[in-house]
Amino acid sequence: MSKLIAPSVLAADFANLQRDVEMINRSDADWFHIDIMDGVFVPNISFGMPVLRDIVKHATKTIDTHLMIVDPDRYVKTFADLGCDILTVHYEACTHLHRTLQNIKAHGMKAGVALNPHTSIDVLKDTIQDIDLVCLMSVNPGFGGQSFIENTYNKVSELKELINNKSASTLIEIDGGVTDKNAKQLVDAGADVLVAGSYVFKAADKIKTVKDLKALANY
Ligand code: DX5
Ligand code: ZN
């Protein structure tokens, strides 16, 4: 399978959101990565349902939604109704993770689990076969534009080994500080999906930046 690029809309210009969504539509990007923050699970608030609804209206690619919120079960149906294709919840925010995963799938979406930088891969040993995507946080969640945490490479390799050992088909997504400097090494370690926010949206030529990142990930 080719390696996927998921620009994070958090870094877009919210006053020109339709323009930026259409730019991603035209680019070589594969998914839209949507960060929902509640100011409780993470120390920041991003945007909520009305903004997501308008993004979905214009987006022509997979909607990959990353919930950084407490008690995400409350909103699973809402995000399904809004048109999300993948719904990722944080391991650290779910008391009954297995039940939450079943709930996401019952609503017709792929189920993802995100791990904070401090959370060990070991905690997924008993659920990996039920998880469509693991989002490894390569920064502490809450903000775009932070520096990549180097220990992520080890975590990708460990996760890849767990997936192979359990014959699971889970995708590995990397989220935070992804640039041309780490993309190849992440893919070599086993990453399938690279999220990139500021690296794409702060670039002068965004379309070319996505194209080059995708080429680097599929060398
Ligand atoms: C961080 C978010 C990321 C963020 C990535 O909490 O989950 O998706 O938007 O942004 P960059 O690529 O700028 O680190
Ligand atoms: Zn994210």
Side-chain angles (χ1 to χ4, degrees):
M1 196 191 101
S2 71
K3 306 298 176 181
L4 309 179
I5 305 298
S8 173
V9 175
L10 184 67
D13 176 352
F14 292 166
N16 289 285
L17 204 43
Q18 181 176 350
R19 179 199 69 189
D20 283 2
V21 168
E22 287 171 349
M23 181 275 294
I24 300 298
N25 286 343
R26 285 196 313 278
S27 77
D28 285 346
D30 300 280
W31 295 355
F32 283 85
H33 184 82
I34 309 289
D35 289 309
I36 305 286
M37 306 178 183
D38 67 355
V40 179
F41 180 70
V42 288
N44 194 14
I45 298 174
S46 54
F47 53 80
M49 287 71 172
V51 174
L52 177 55
R53 189 194 55 226
D54 288 349
I55 293 170
V56 171
K57 225 189 297 178
H58 299 287
T60 57
K61 298 177 178 183
T62 295
I63 304 293
D64 167 39
T65 303
H66 175 195
L67 299 184
M68 284 158 273
I69 66 174
V70 296
D71 200 3
D73 283 277
R74 290 171 296 164
Y75 297 111
V76 168
K77 182 178 185 310
T78 306
F79 285 107
D81 291 346
L82 281 166
C84 297
D85 300 291
I86 304 164
L87 196 65
T88 296
V89 295
H90 264 263
Y91 170 81
E92 301 84 2
C94 295
T95 310
H96 298 284
L97 181 64
H98 188 269
R99 180 184 288 152
T100 305
L101 295 172
Q102 303 306 331
N103 188 18
I104 293 170
K105 290 181 188 178
H107 284 87
M109 297 177 287
K110 300 270 188 211
V113 176
L115 296 187
N116 279 339
H118 74 270
T119 304
S120 164
I121 298 300
D122 300 347
V123 302
L124 299 180
K125 187 165 70 66
D126 294 300
T127 39
I128 195 71
Q129 280 150 328
D130 301 300
I131 303 174
D132 296 305
L133 171 142
V134 173
C135 174
L136 288 182
M137 293 309 302
S138 37
V139 298
N140 284 295
F143 303 92
Q146 303 181 82
S147 317
F148 179 82
I149 296 172
E150 297 284 323
N151 185 50
T152 308
Y153 300 120
N154 298 329
K155 291 182 81 174
V156 179
S157 307
E158 273 178 52
L159 176 57
K160 188 72 188 170
E161 199 182 327
L162 174 65
I163 291 168
N164 289 342
N165 287 345
K166 299 274 186 177
S167 304
S169 47
T170 316
L171 295 179
I172 301 177
E173 177 178 70
I174 311 301
D175 189 10
V178 171
T179 68
D180 58 343
K181 304 283 181 292
N182 47 36
K184 184 176 175 300
Q185 200 175 336
L186 286 167
V187 164
D188 285 344
D192 302 292
V193 186
L194 302 179
V195 173
S198 25
Y199 182 65
V200 168
F201 284 98
K202 300 269 180 286
D205 189 339
K206 301 168 184 54
I207 298 266
K208 182 174 182 303
T209 301
V210 173
K211 188 174 197 281
D212 292 350
L213 193 61
K214 182 139 181 188
L216 206 54
N218 290 279
Y219 68 95

